[in-house]
């Protein structure tokens, strides 16, 4: 698929067909994610891959999805056979930029006008989403509720120096892709590009 077509077709998919995802495709998603730009080539990310029914069910339980609760979004999202959780490590960036080739001698966060550990993990997540489209799959990026981060960490043994930036469901698109997202209800803005000055 041409890159422009990948960009044009990328949508958040909220319901999936009852078909497994080829593990080789998941591996390609993760391979591409690791090619994302990252400050100082820190590579301060990690990816938790949940691709068994038990692990996916544990994800929904640990992140507060009540099995008895039913709503269009949750019912659709729970049909995904794969969940990928991109994580970032701020300490990896602080350590990397305290190395001699970076010229800083301390781990101060004051030097960072933007927390690139979040930015870089976000770019890696986008590559997962784009690879899903290129492979003919659907995917959806969403946040893990803050009040359930502790149970998520405990359920999957996430180290303290890593934080999830969100989660990505992956699967084959179902004909009825679930609840329409905001893009179906709102026009795409055309006033966001400013040339020369605001």
């Amino acid at each position: 698929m041409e890159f422009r077509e990948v960009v044009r077709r990328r949508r958040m998919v909220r319901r999936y067909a009852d078909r497994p995802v080829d593990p080789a495709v998941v591996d390609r998603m993760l391979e591409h994610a690791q090619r994302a730009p990252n400050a100082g080539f820190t590579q301060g990310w990690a990816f938790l891959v949940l691709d068994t029914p038990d692990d996916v069910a544990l994800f929904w339980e640990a992140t507060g999805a009540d099995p008895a609760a039913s709503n269009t979004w949750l019912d659709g999202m729970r049909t995904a056979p794969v969940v990928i959780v991109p994580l970032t490590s701020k300490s990896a960036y602080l350590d990397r930029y305290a190395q001699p080739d970076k010229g800083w001698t301390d781990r101060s966060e004051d030097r960072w006008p933007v927390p690139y550990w979040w930015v870089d993990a976000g770019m890696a997540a986008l590559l997962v989403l784009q690879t899903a489209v290129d492979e003919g799959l659907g995917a959806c990026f969403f946040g893990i509720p803050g009040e359930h981060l502790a149970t998520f960490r405990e359920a999957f043994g996430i180290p303290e120096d890593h934080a999830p930036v969100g989660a990505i469901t992956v699967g084959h698109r179902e004909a009825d892709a679930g609840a329409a997202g905001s893009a179906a209800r709102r026009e795409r803005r055309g006033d966001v590009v400013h040339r020369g000055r605001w």
Side-chain angles (χ1 to χ4, degrees), residues 55-178:
D55 284 344
V56 171
L58 180 58
F59 171 83
W60 292 113
E61 179 185 329
T63 57
D66 180 354
S70 180
N71 66 55
T72 304
W73 182 86
L74 186 56
D75 291 347
M77 294 293 275
R78 284 194 277 208
T79 63
V82 177
V83 177
I84 298 172
V85 181
L87 302 110
T88 189
S89 172
K90 173 173 66 174
S91 64
Y93 284 77
L94 299 181
D95 288 346
R96 171 68 183 106
Y97 275 76
Q99 292 176 353
D101 67 313
K102 287 301 176 191
W104 299 348
T105 58
D106 60 48
R107 299 176 76 249
S108 174
E109 287 183 58
D110 296 340
R111 299 182 188 280
W112 295 84
V114 174
Y116 281 101
W117 40 93
W118 295 111
V119 174
D120 294 351
M123 286 196 258
L126 179 58
L127 286 173
V128 170
L129 296 172
Q130 290 179 325
T131 304
V133 172
D134 193 48
E135 295 285 350
L137 298 172
C140 184
F141 179 88
F142 59 99
I144 296 174
E147 65 270 22
H148 298 293
L149 285 175
T151 55
F152 165 74
R153 285 179 173 285
E154 183 179 337
F156 295 103
I158 306 298
E160 282 302 313
D161 66 342
H162 280 74
V165 299
I168 304 168
T169 50
V170 178
H172 294 273
R173 291 172 177 255
E174 188 174 79
D176 169 19

Side-chain angles (χ1 to χ4, degrees), residues 11-33:
R11 299 283 183 279
M12 296 301 186
V13 174
R14 295 168 177 84
R15 181 171 294 278
Y16 303 91
D18 186 17
R19 291 170 48 199
V21 173
D22 182 348
V25 171
V26 175
D27 289 345
R28 274 194 295 279
M29 290 179 189
L30 299 166
E31 190 179 307
H32 292 174

